[in-house]
Each structure stands twice: as C-alpha cells, then as structure tokens.
Amino acid sequence: MKKRLFSLILAVGMIVSLVGCNTPTDNPPPEPITLSTPTDIRVSAEGVVTWSPVENATEYIITVNGKEFTTQTPYFYLDVTQNATFSVIARAENYLDSASSETGTFTKPAITVNIEGGSEIRSGKTLKLRAVVTGVSEKGVTWEVTEGNEFVSVAEDGTVTALEVDGDKTVTVVAKSKADPSVSATKRITVTAKTELTQEMLDELAGDKISFEGFLNISLYEFGISNDFVRSFSSDVKTAMDGTNWYTQYTDTDSGIVSRLYYKNVEGIASQVSVSFMNEESYTPMLDDDDREIHWEAAGLYNNFKTLKASDFTFNETTWRWEYKNTEDGLIERMVASANPYDFDPTNLALIIEDGAIAGIYSKAKPDRTLVPQYEAIKELSVVINAGDSVEVPTISKFKSDPRHEPLKQAIENMQALDSYTLEFLNIEGSTMSSGYTVSGFTETVTADTCYFRPFRQNGYGDDEVIRTYTNEDYGYSKRSETLYNSFSIDGGVFSANRAFRDDFSSAKPSFAFAAEIFTSYYEDESDGTITFYVNETMSAVASTFYMGVGNELALYGLFAAEGNTGEFTFTPFVTVKDGFIIEAGFYYNLGYLYGVVELKYGTFDQTETPASVTAGLAAMEDRQIPLYWSQVDIITTPDSSDTEHMENALEFLQEFFGMEDIETELPFFTAVLGDTYGFGLLDYRVPAGESVTKPTLMLYFDVPLDVNYSLEGSIKAVQRFLLENGFTKNKHDVFRKGDIAVQVVDSSLDLNIYVWKA
C-alpha cells in the first residue's frame, strides 16, 4: 500500500521535488489559510457566469471590465448588452483571498430578444407587451401563445387579449425574432378573474402538508433618469412542508444550477439538516442578523394558511386579486419564506383563485439593486399550491447499508474496543510558498492510560529502506484520573504537564467515530486479504477521526481532507481492513497554502506497551488542573516607561483596571466553557467596535480547536452564551456589556481572541 499511495502522490502532482528535510526548531503560528481558486468558469448565452463553489468561501469578487462586484452565490448575471471580460476570486472572513480565476470572455449575442410588460391581465381585458430586439437591424418578432391559448390571444403588435375566465389562469407567450426564429423570449402571464373568497376555500388548505411550485420572474431596468427596460429571466421554485420538515429544490433556468435544502423543527428552532459521520441527522440552527437562533414560528417554514380567515383579505379592484390586508404582522414575509428559497422582500401577498379554489399565491418584491450591479430588479413570485396527503415532503437521505459494509462495521467496533495499538502518521506535504515537498510524522503507542508520540523527519523513501531522524521532542497524553488527563512534553528527561482535560481518556485517542455506510465504494484485494473502503466525497472530513494529535495543527489536515484529482482519476479518504481491524488509512488535504497526503498505519493490536522510561517519568509528573479563576493565570503588561514585557497576575491587574475588587464575580474566567485553552493575555491599545477612541484593552488568546466545519463557531457561541448567562447584554456591534465591563469575542484568522475593556 505504501508504494501504491506514494505513486498516487506523485501522479496528483502535489509534490514536485525534494527540497531537503530541515525543519524549524520553533513552531511558528499557523499562517492564514488561502482559499482555493475558483475553477470551471463558464458563461451562458444569456450572460450568466458560473463557477465551481469554493469550499469555505462566503462571497466572491467578480471583476467585469475592470469593475469589481460582490456576490454570495457562485453565479453572476452580466449585462448582455455589451461585451465583457471577467475573472473571479473567492473570499471569506479569516481566510486569505484566493488567486484570481482564469479570465473569461462574453461576446454579446448577435441577436437577443426580451419581453417588457406586466405579468398580470384581468379577465376580458388587454395587456400590451413590447419585444426588445438587439444585435440586428430587423427588430420585428412573431408572437405566439404556447400555453393557455384557450384563455388568451396575442396580436402581431404584442397586444394580449384575455377571454372571460371564471378563475385565475396562467399562460405563456413567446416572441420569436423574425431575423432568426431560433432566438426567442418567453413571458408567463396570469389572467386574473373577479372571484369570490370564502372561508371554505381557506379551510381546504389548512392541513400540515402543503407544497408550492412555480417561478420567480425578474425584470431588469436601468435605474436613474431613463429607467429603461433591459431584460427579463425567470427561476423555477419548488418547496414542500409538513409542519416539521421543509424542503426546497430550486433551479436557475439560465445557469442550470440546481440546489436542495432541508430544514426541520428541532426543539422549536428552525435548523438546516445534514448527515453526520455517524450517518445520523445533524442540525445547524438558522440565525438572524444578530446571530440569534430563529424559532420555527418566526422562520415560517410551515403551512401559514392554517390560521387565515377570509376577513384577513380585501379585494383589489385594480388587480382583481384578493390581497392580505395586514402588512405589519409578518405573515406576508413568513408565507413567502415558506414558498420561496430566494432573497425576496415582499410588498404584498395575493391569492390566485381558479375554479372556486385557491390555486396559488402571487407576491411582488420591493425593487432590488443588489441582484445585478447597476440595475434595478423587479421580482415577482407566482406559485401554485398543492395540499393534502398527496404532497410528498422529501427529507434528507442517509447512506444505505448493504452486506459489503459488514467487514468495515466489525473493524470499526474492534478498533474502538482496543486497549492498545501502535499508530504511524506520515505526512507528505507541499506548499504554494516553495517548490518540492517534505516528509515528516510521528509514531505513537496507544495504551489504556498513555498516548506517547515520537516525531520524526524522513530523509529518504525507498522500497527497502526508510531513513528517519527522530527529533527528541517527544510528547503525549497521560491519564491522571477517571475524569482528568493531561498533555505532556519531555525536555531533558523531565516530564511537564501542558494542558488539562476534564474528560474520559478515550477522548485522547482516535475516535473512529463514523458509520461504515458513509464509505460508498470499495476495492477487495484477494491476494493479500484486504478490503479498501473509500468515503463518499461529501464526508471527506471523516479523516479527522482517524488520528489524534496534541494541539490544533494536526487536526487541520483531517478537517481539510478533500478529493484528490489527477485529471485522470480521483481518490477520497480511505481505510483498509484486514483480519477484523483497520490496518491503514490515507487522505489528501488542501489548506490552500499547504497541501499533501497523510498515510496512517495501525498495528500490534492489544499487544502494545508504553516504554518503561515514559511510565516512570509520568509517575513523577505533577498533575495539572484546569485553571478556573483569573487569579490562576498571568497577563503581559508593559509599563509606559519600558519596552520590556512584564508578567502580572490577571486578577490583580483586572481589579486595578476596572477599579472593582469583586471583578472575578462580575467577569468569570472563560476556561469554564473553553477548557484549558488559555494561551496568554496581553495589554494593548485599540479602538473598540462601535467606538471612535483608542482605549487600553486586554486581549486574551485561547488555543481552541476548530469545529468540523472549519470554524470557531462552537467556541464563540459558547463564550457568548456564557456572557449572557452571567448578566451581559449584546449590542449591534457584537459587544457584550455589563456595567463598565465590555467584552467582544473575535475570530482572528482562526485564532480565538477575547477583548476586554472599560466601557
């Protein structure tokens, strides 16, 4: 397997040449991670630029003809009336911007057709449509009704005449270029009838199950003096809900991008649903602009018809639509949110009534100047309703099990039940900052009460010989009691505890906490009795469960595991099973500026012992406890008259800083929720958020691990809840205050900093 994996590394092109194996003796802080470069840049004939989504990116900067625009989605609408060159970079807070994508070009079509005009026509009335043709001297079009010609007709000049109808009808009108009939534009129109609304109609929709399906129509206008019409396009919409689950599938008809989202009512909170490594549902709460969890009732992802009365609506004599009267109670926003996954700020909610029943809803949004830069978008939502037991509400699918998973299931159970084994961690790493690659790693002996690491640098890699240099900087984890273990280091034969953990000692070992089902392909080698299982690409971060390491840097490799791609073949994180155990695992990772392959080997199952010298050293080592009080830590202060750093007891400093003897009661120490992760405190000067004057500020650094989604969100939320529980209130600048004490929790390039100052 080693030779096979190493050949794969070379093929992937992650490693170019060997540049030596000198390793710095000091460990510098991790550099900010650079986002991957957007790839697969494409542009449709309609001017929609798309690219492959970049992992962790929260927005993209697209440069069009020298001007920059920001979008949160991996697509962008160009102005199709002019030629354009464009490129894209990915951006996210606490990451370095990606490199610029390849440059794309857009040539305005030789001929384009767009239709300007309203989306509604009253029964028996007329509506004038105008075809806007560009790119050819012949501006004429032929008009045609392609759907609903029993309800409307269209004249040569684009005048649509509605016949008398007894209910709202949806029709489709097409304008084809006379110069090139293959070029056309489509307009969907609703014929509205003067209808009656009864409570019985509303009651027909009062069950839990309901679905909406239709389209979001967007018309673009130049904003300014002229307000000229530019173009129109539409996006399909499909949602379904049953009171507990909400699902949407939406397709952009220009770009062809299809997305699916699942939400669920989880203990009263609207939560997005995904599948965990254990093949179980996991939940991420929906948050408002202040990062507060949104309750299910406020999210509106359920049937909002259930409580409506006929008296809630009034008939609009101009549009011939029954419209909801109260625009202040939030019902319109909740109703549109349940029916439509796109950003939409509604101005109204109208009923579409057909054949004596409510067939759908219509809503028009406030003008939007953010969708396409330099243009104003007018958005209209029209969706039909289906209600009752026939409605199907898709829920997120778990991975399926079959007999092929049985060897892996048994191996996972056996690995988790082991008292002892050895682990070899080999990291073959390249960098965007230099050429070549380095090879390093560690060997680990795992026993019931000790995890002992011996790091090494690898100087050679041959078929018959591996040349390694051990660094003599050994370290590990030591069980101190049933609920306490310490990390330790060895310096000159002296063992010192570095961090304390209030947990079972199993937390210091690789968890192998994953379900066999998430490995969706396999290869069986009958010659050596092994089966290699490959994880589904969406679960690549499962590699983080294959090993454990002291500190946070090693964990990053597994969290940023990704699909490796040579252009000819791909590979994902894998585990190899033999004789009931996992004997090998491997994965490719990409941290932006660092990338490489990790190879893991497991052996000597239940036959491993901690070296006697290590056992003796740990027996003599003094236990470390988690510091819980300010009085147990120091901070760095620098007197005004000196550039020399001074250490001062944190409690004594805070008492003087705030002039409060009981400061430890008013501001408890944060290790109560962050564990033994306090790195250092530093007195500095900065302009606090929301203020304009520089103030002395205590900066506290905590070395917390990343969450599985590559963020510090879990730790930040824990501190914020801790502050609220201790009487602090949050303002719009994310500053927590209680009296004269101000606190802000900041993710600084994946470092958790807590700022404390006198308000």
Side-chain angles (χ1 to χ4, degrees):
M1 178 64 75
K2 178 181 289 183
K3 287 188 286 185
R4 183 166 72 245
L5 181 57
F6 192 67
S7 298
L8 181 59
I9 296 165
L10 295 176
V12 173
M14 295 179 292
I15 299 166
V16 181
S17 63
L18 186 62
V19 295
C21 51
N22 294 326
T23 303
T25 55
D26 296 323
N27 292 322
E31 300 179 41
I33 297 169
T34 302
L35 293 171
S36 299
T37 303
T39 59
D40 198 22
I41 310 297
R42 300 182 183 181
V43 59
S44 70
E46 295 80 11
V48 182
V49 182
T50 61
W51 54 90
S52 297
V54 174
E55 191 171 30
N56 302 313
T58 56
E59 64 181 21
Y60 302 90
I61 309 301
I62 181 168
T63 302
V64 182
N65 292 340
K67 294 183 178 180
E68 290 188 353
F69 305 102
T70 302
T71 173
Q72 279 72 48
T73 54
Y75 54 90
F76 182 86
Y77 298 96
L78 293 174
D79 176 2
V80 296
T81 64
Q82 59 181 334
N83 296 334
T85 60
F86 51 86
S87 59
V88 185
I89 66 172
R91 177 169 292 174
E93 188 177 356
N94 303 320
Y95 290 82
L96 295 178
D97 289 354
S98 74
S100 179
S101 72
E102 60 185 11
T103 299
T105 59
F106 173 79
T107 303
K108 62 181 180 181
I111 304 175
T112 64
V113 179
N114 280 281
I115 300 175
E116 180 187 12
S119 298
E120 299 178 352
I121 180 174
R122 285 167 47 178
S123 173
K125 303 296 182 180
T126 60
L127 171 69
K128 185 66 170 68
L129 300 179
R130 183 172 73 95
V132 179
V133 181
T134 63
V136 66
S137 59
E138 170 60 77
K139 304 296 183 182
V141 298
T142 56
W143 293 92
E144 180 184 0
V145 179
T146 58
E147 181 182 354
N149 54 16
E150 68 269 37
F151 306 123
V152 300
S153 62
V154 60
E156 291 183 0
D157 65 352
T159 300
V160 179
T161 301
L163 305 178
E164 294 289 342
V165 296
D166 56 5
D168 296 344
K169 310 294 182 183
T170 300
V171 301
T172 302
V173 177
V174 174
K176 295 182 179 179
S177 167
K178 287 184 176 180
D180 183 355
S182 67
V183 181
S184 64
T186 299
K187 181 76 173 179
R188 296 178 182 179
I189 301 170
T190 301
V191 182
T192 60
K194 195 164 188 176
T195 57
E196 295 296 325
L197 175 64
T198 67
Q199 187 61 44
E200 288 74 17
M201 293 180 184
L202 290 167
D203 291 344
E204 286 292 322
L205 304 176
D208 286 327
K209 285 189 172 184
I210 192 168
S211 65
F212 301 92
E213 187 167 1
F215 57 91
L216 179 71
N217 188 74
I218 303 173
S219 298
L220 293 182
Y221 296 84
E222 293 181 349
F223 64 83
I225 297 175
S226 65
N227 291 321
D228 289 340
F229 171 76
V230 177
R231 62 179 292 217
S232 63
F233 50 94
S234 64
S235 300
D236 292 339
V237 174
K238 181 179 181 181
T239 62
M241 60 219 72
D242 60 13
T244 300
N245 300 283
W246 181 87
Y247 164 81
T248 182
Q249 174 181 312
Y250 54 104
T251 306
D252 186 282
T253 54
D254 283 336
S255 67
I257 296 173
V258 178
S259 297
R260 296 175 178 83
L261 286 174
Y262 304 84
Y263 274 87
K264 188 174 185 177
N265 181 353
V266 181
E267 298 181 352
I269 302 298
S271 302
Q272 186 175 347
V273 186
S274 57
V275 176
S276 72
F277 297 152
M278 297 303 297
N279 201 27
E280 297 172 347
E281 288 188 3
S282 60
Y283 310 110
T284 303
M286 182 187 294
L287 302 176
D288 63 15
D289 292 338
D290 294 323
D291 289 333
R292 293 174 297 193
E293 296 179 346
I294 296 178
H295 288 272
W296 184 251
E297 290 75 12
L301 304 181
Y302 50 87
N303 184 5
N304 291 272
F305 277 104
K306 294 184 70 171
T307 59
L308 291 180
K309 305 296 182 185
S311 57
D312 294 329
F313 294 83
T314 185
F315 190 75
N316 186 320
E317 292 289 347
T318 301
T319 63
W320 281 11
R321 284 266 172 84
W322 287 93
E323 296 186 344
Y324 188 70
K325 292 189 295 187
N326 189 348
T327 60
E328 304 297 328
D329 64 358
L331 184 279
I332 293 176
E333 288 77 11
R334 294 195 301 274
M335 180 74 81
V336 171
S338 69
N340 167 47
Y342 298 95
D343 289 334
F344 195 97
D345 191 1
T347 61
N348 72 325
L349 176 70
L351 302 178
I352 300 173
I353 297 177
E354 183 179 350
D355 297 332
I358 299 172
I361 60 174
Y362 166 87
S363 183
K364 188 173 183 178
K366 297 176 183 177
D368 183 352
R369 295 183 179 179
T370 64
L371 182 66
V372 181
Q374 302 179 337
Y375 294 92
E376 183 173 86
I378 304 300
K379 296 185 283 189
E380 297 171 282
L381 175 71
S382 297
V383 290
V384 298
I385 296 172
N386 184 23
D389 292 338
S390 63
V391 173
E392 294 185 3
V393 184
T395 55
I396 198 162
S397 299
K398 298 180 182 180
F399 294 94
K400 295 181 179 179
S401 179
D402 64 46
R404 294 176 298 178
H405 287 119
E406 291 305 318
L408 181 54
K409 289 180 180 180
Q410 187 61 57
I412 294 170
E413 293 179 8
N414 291 343
M415 296 300 291
Q416 293 172 337
L418 285 171
D419 285 330
S420 68
Y421 55 93
T422 57
L423 165 63
E424 179 184 283
F425 179 102
L426 188 69
N427 179 26
I428 307 159
E429 185 170 82
S431 171
T432 58
M433 309 298 180
S434 62
S435 61
Y437 65 92
T438 60
V439 183
S440 62
F442 60 79
T443 59
E444 180 186 4
T445 57
V446 180
T447 62
D449 55 12
T450 306
C451 295
Y452 171 52
F453 297 78
R454 294 192 66 206
F456 61 78
R457 295 187 296 269
Q458 190 153 298
N459 306 71
Y461 204 133
D463 291 340
D464 302 319
E465 182 181 15
V466 173
I467 305 171
R468 289 178 177 173
T469 302
Y470 285 87
T471 64
N472 295 320
E473 297 172 344
D474 300 353
Y475 56 89
Y477 291 110
S478 173
K479 178 179 178 180
R480 313 310 284 180
S481 72
E482 293 303 318
T483 58
L484 174 71
Y485 66 91
N486 290 168
S487 64
F488 67 88
S489 59
I490 308 172
D491 185 7
V494 178
F495 288 68
S496 302
N498 310 118
R499 287 280 184 264
F501 302 87
R502 282 284 178 190
D503 209 341
D504 186 271
F505 189 62
S506 61
S507 300
K509 304 176 183 181
S511 67
F512 300 104
F514 55 84
E517 288 81 0
I518 70 173
F519 287 75
T520 50
S521 59
Y522 77 105
Y523 169 74
E524 186 169 2
D525 189 336
E526 296 182 356
S527 64
D528 63 5
T530 62
I531 308 176
T532 299
F533 294 86
Y534 300 87
V535 81
N536 184 278
E537 182 190 352
T538 61
M539 292 291 176
S540 289
V542 71
S544 60
T545 69
F546 297 166
Y547 65 98
M548 275 288 292
V550 175
N552 294 329
E553 292 184 24
L554 279 176
L556 291 177
Y557 299 134
L559 289 176
F560 284 85
E563 182 182 67
N565 193 328
T566 70
E568 297 180 2
F569 58 89
T570 62
F571 74 101
T572 58
F574 68 86
V575 291
T576 300
V577 173
K578 183 176 183 179
D579 298 331
F581 292 98
I582 296 174
I583 63 167
E584 194 166 350
F587 60 91
Y588 164 72
Y589 64 87
N590 191 331
L591 282 73
Y593 70 101
L594 290 177
Y595 50 90
V597 163
V598 167
E599 178 185 339
L600 299 135
K601 290 179 175 291
Y602 310 90
T604 59
F605 303 119
D606 274 343
Q607 299 179 27
T608 302
E609 295 182 356
T610 304
S613 59
V614 175
T615 301
L618 291 173
M621 184 179 76
E622 184 177 348
D623 290 353
R624 176 182 173 89
Q625 303 292 334
I626 298 175
L628 297 176
Y629 306 101
W630 290 108
S631 58
Q632 295 175 291
V633 299
D634 294 326
I635 61 170
I636 302 170
T637 63
T638 304
D640 294 338
S641 59
S642 172
D643 292 331
T644 305
E645 291 184 348
H646 291 264
M647 302 297 294
E648 187 172 337
N649 180 269
L651 176 60
E652 294 175 1
F653 169 82
L654 288 170
Q655 288 173 333
E656 182 178 352
F657 188 78
F658 287 103
M660 300 171 59
E661 285 296 318
D662 62 344
I663 186 64
E664 199 155 38
T665 301
E666 296 299 311
L667 181 65
F669 194 34
F670 299 105
T671 55
V673 290
L674 296 178
D676 189 9
T677 59
Y678 177 72
F680 60 86
L682 175 67
L683 178 62
D684 200 358
Y685 292 85
R686 66 191 291 268
V687 179
E691 302 188 30
S692 58
V693 179
T694 300
K695 290 186 175 182
T697 305
L698 180 61
M699 191 279 282
L700 306 168
Y701 165 68
F702 288 83
D703 189 26
V704 298
L706 286 182
D707 298 337
V708 72
N709 64 348
Y710 329 120
S711 76
L712 299 176
E713 183 178 333
S715 297
I716 291 174
K717 296 299 182 187
V719 174
Q720 292 177 339
R721 287 192 297 268
F722 177 71
L723 290 167
L724 293 172
E725 292 166 359
N726 282 276
F728 285 76
T729 57
K730 178 184 174 183
N731 67 18
K732 64 180 180 180
H733 301 291
D734 291 334
V735 173
F736 291 76
R737 290 190 57 177
K738 182 169 71 170
D740 290 338
I741 307 173
V743 181
Q744 186 178 22
V745 192
V746 176
D747 177 351
S748 177
S749 298
L750 297 182
D751 285 337
L752 182 64
N753 294 340
I754 301 177
Y755 295 100
V756 181
W757 68 94
K758 191 171 184 178

